[in-house]
Amino acid sequence: MDIENLKSHVHDIPDFPKEGIVFKDIAPLLASAKARNAATKLLAKPFMNQQVDYVVGMEARGFLFGSLLADVLDAGFVMVRKPNKLPGSLVTQEYQLEYGTDAIEMQLSAIPDGATVLIHDDVLATGGTAAATARLIKKAGGSIIGASFLIELDFLNGRAALDGIDTYAVLHY
Ligand code: 5GP
């Protein structure tokens, strides 16, 4: 399946979740077995010849392709979640939003010291979420080998926030 066909499975939703924002809706991409499969293969491609111990996916849409990607790469899958969702000993990372701060958490024992980790989320926008995830993984002792996204909003230059991390996206807007 070519890139234009894949893109036809991502729908633009104007004024969601707020006025003035055009939301990229990946629901049609998930709903099509062919498109989902093609997107997963393209996500995995840059990492096929690398040792990936864990894919770390961000709540909530990062869980979807993140676990499909982990399957193809024969890697473990680890969840990064919003506060108060995960049990046990946690690592926490705060990050800046446009107004105020937010935080994400991961289970401390999820990533053994020195394990190789690939970050995954559905969309790279400003890069704030992915940069906070990278700090979380470093705190836990993981070694980041790259970051992969289904969609990159190029005009927001989020990859600048991921300085030094190999960053890939299947679809660019
Ligand atoms: P960032 O932290 O890079 O600004 O935003 C990325 C996070 O917001 C990701 O977790 C992603 O799921 C979500 N996000 C931002 N914009 C969109 C969008 O247009 N579509 C989707 N599906 N998610 C988005």
Side-chain angles (χ1 to χ4, degrees):
M1 182 176 291
D2 65 25
I3 293 293
E4 283 316 306
N5 195 349
L6 271 182
K7 278 189 166 180
S8 74
H9 291 81
V10 175
H11 293 179
D12 279 352
I13 313 292
D15 298 320
F16 183 87
K18 286 191 249 180
E19 214 175 298
I21 292 181
V22 181
F23 185 79
K24 298 284 179 203
D25 183 16
I26 65 163
L29 190 53
L30 286 163
S32 158
K34 277 209 174 88
R36 192 182 63 235
N37 204 272
T40 305
K41 285 196 177 120
L42 288 170
L43 273 172
K45 207 170 163 196
F47 305 99
M48 288 307 278
N49 295 316
Q50 295 190 57
Q51 177 62 39
V52 180
D53 295 328
Y54 294 92
V55 173
V56 167
M58 287 90 108
E59 181 172 353
R61 285 176 299 271
F63 295 170
L64 300 164
F65 280 96
S67 52
L68 292 169
L69 179 59
D71 233 30
V72 175
L73 295 175
D74 199 25
F77 179 77
V78 173
M79 296 181 281
V80 163
R81 300 207 64 178
K82 291 286 165 74
N84 306 315
K85 305 260 190 182
L86 288 169
S89 299
L90 306 174
V91 272
T92 300
Q93 180 65 52
E94 284 199 352
Y95 61 103
Q96 295 291 323
L97 296 175
E98 197 177 349
Y99 302 102
T101 61
D102 209 344
I104 48 174
E105 295 181 332
M106 187 174 71
Q107 287 177 321
L108 184 57
S109 60
I111 295 175
D113 247 2
T116 54
V117 176
L118 172 61
I119 294 170
H120 170 77
D121 205 355
D122 62 335
V123 174
L124 175 63
T126 67
T129 311
T133 300
R135 285 196 287 274
L136 202 57
I137 292 163
K138 285 180 193 154
K139 273 186 189 173
S143 169
I144 299 163
I145 61 152
S148 99
F149 304 88
L150 206 50
I151 292 169
E152 179 172 359
L153 304 179
D154 294 344
F155 52 93
L156 293 174
N157 196 25
R159 62 173 58 220
L162 297 178
D163 199 23
I165 299 177
D166 280 338
T167 301
Y168 298 86
V170 173
L171 305 175
H172 292 265
Y173 293 88

